[in-house]
Amino acid sequence: GGLRARVAEAAEGEHIAREVFAQRCYERNGVALQPRPADEAQPPLVIDVGAHVGIFSLRALTALPHCQLIAVEPASHTCELLRENLEANRLAVRARVVCAAARARAVGSAVLRFYPFCPCVSTCRPAERERAQLNVLAPWRLDAALDERCVVTSVSKLLADERARRAAVAGGTCHAEALLEVRLLKVDVEGDELEVLRGVDAADWPCIEQVALEVHATGGRLEAVLALLHEAGFARVTPTRHAELAALGLDNWLVHACRGAAAPAMEG
């Protein structure tokens, strides 16, 4: 409703907008962006890892009108568009953009392979992802690739920074750690999704209410993601193969996790 986003490539932007707004790909199987009466007094947090140009960030910020959002995106050019889109929609005041790659530990740096003609498949795992994309994308879409060194962060580092920020805003008078609630952790990072989840310390998992992520099921990654989410205490973990991408030969899965009823069987 009135949202606008500048994208690097029109067809890519239309595809992502359709997935996020029409198909609600991250809001399924019990995962929901539902505002609550208590949100105004204690704003929930949404963490968008692999935010790209911010299309899902816009969805979350409008669906949860009192939430705060952290958008994590490693590609510097894409980060510029992300910031521009948040500003253009007057939502930047509730968002913090972190230009970094989320990994298991917030140390060192990573090398991102950036594809100017198809930015949404930019990845820190180019050998794996380029093999997977060979029969899907026109070869020119992977042309002119650039390797960019980026800062590394982790979900727990983001949470620690957010707690410190909230405590500073409150003048050190509130128990920021006890009050922080992550309504949703969304992850779409082209092969590094398990690394992102491993960057959540055991002590931080209880404050994360829901998780939605895309998993590239290579080398046992899907099974490891499911096991980690169950171990983290999510009673309902639902993996669903991405039908549209499966038809193209890609083994991509959407995984939704929430704290509630027992998990249904895997959908293939």
Side-chain angles (χ1 to χ4, degrees):
L3 294 174
R4 53 185 177 169
R6 184 170 164 233
V7 298
E9 205 279 326
E12 176 181 280
E14 290 170 4
H15 171 75
I16 297 171
R18 184 172 65 252
E19 285 195 324
V20 169
F21 284 96
Q23 300 173 359
R24 301 283 171 88
C25 66
Y26 301 112
E27 300 170 67
R28 299 176 184 171
N29 299 309
V31 173
L33 293 173
Q34 294 287 345
R36 298 171 187 167
D39 288 353
E40 185 172 4
Q42 183 54 44
L45 181 67
V46 173
I47 304 178
D48 185 358
V49 181
H52 195 243
V53 299
I55 292 175
F56 178 76
S57 291
L58 297 179
R59 163 64 189 157
L61 286 163
T62 51
L64 298 173
H66 297 294
C67 82
Q68 301 288 326
L69 181 135
I70 301 174
V72 185
E73 170 55 47
S76 57
H77 175 69
T78 307
C79 253
E80 292 175 11
L81 294 177
L82 168 60
R83 290 190 176 97
E84 181 180 321
N85 289 333
L86 290 168
E87 290 283 356
N89 290 281
R90 300 183 179 182
L91 293 168
V93 68
R94 291 195 285 123
R96 177 162 64 94
V97 174
V98 178
C99 193
R103 308 298 288 271
R105 298 180 61 208
V107 294
S109 62
V111 176
L112 177 79
R113 178 73 53 86
F114 177 72
Y115 304 100
F117 301 124
C118 197
C120 73
V121 300
S122 299
T123 179
C124 292
R125 296 177 180 269
E128 172 194 317
R129 300 313 309 145
E130 286 176 9
R131 282 196 304 271
Q133 300 288 357
L134 280 177
N135 297 321
V136 178
L137 294 175
W140 63 268
R141 285 195 171 274
L142 300 181
D143 286 348
L146 305 169
D147 284 345
E148 175 182 347
R149 188 163 293 279
C150 52
V151 173
V152 167
T153 189
S154 71
V155 173
S156 279
K157 173 68 164 58
L158 297 170
L159 291 175
D161 291 346
E162 181 64 14
R163 290 183 182 108
R165 186 194 68 80
R166 292 191 181 198
V169 169
T173 60
C174 73
H175 300 290
E177 185 165 340
L179 295 175
L180 186 60
E181 175 217 334
V182 180
R183 186 67 53 82
L184 176 64
L185 169 62
K186 170 261 180 184
V187 182
D188 191 341
V189 289
E190 297 301 313
D192 263 337
E193 45 275 5
L194 183 58
E195 276 283 310
V196 172
L197 296 185
R198 286 173 173 164
V200 183
D201 294 343
D204 285 326
W205 274 116
C207 78
I208 300 175
E209 184 177 318
Q210 304 175 111
V211 180
L213 70 160
E214 183 180 60
V215 179
H216 300 268
T218 300
R221 186 179 294 139
L222 176 63
E223 292 77 10
V225 164
L226 300 180
L228 190 155
L229 290 171
H230 281 297
E231 185 178 345
F234 292 92
R236 183 177 180 186
V237 180
T238 310
T240 309
R241 193 169 185 189
H242 196 304
E244 184 179 347
L245 297 180
L248 298 174
L250 294 177
D251 198 13
N252 291 25
W253 291 69
L254 291 169
V255 177
H256 302 87
C258 52
R259 303 186 184 277
M266 182 181 294
E267 301 173 25

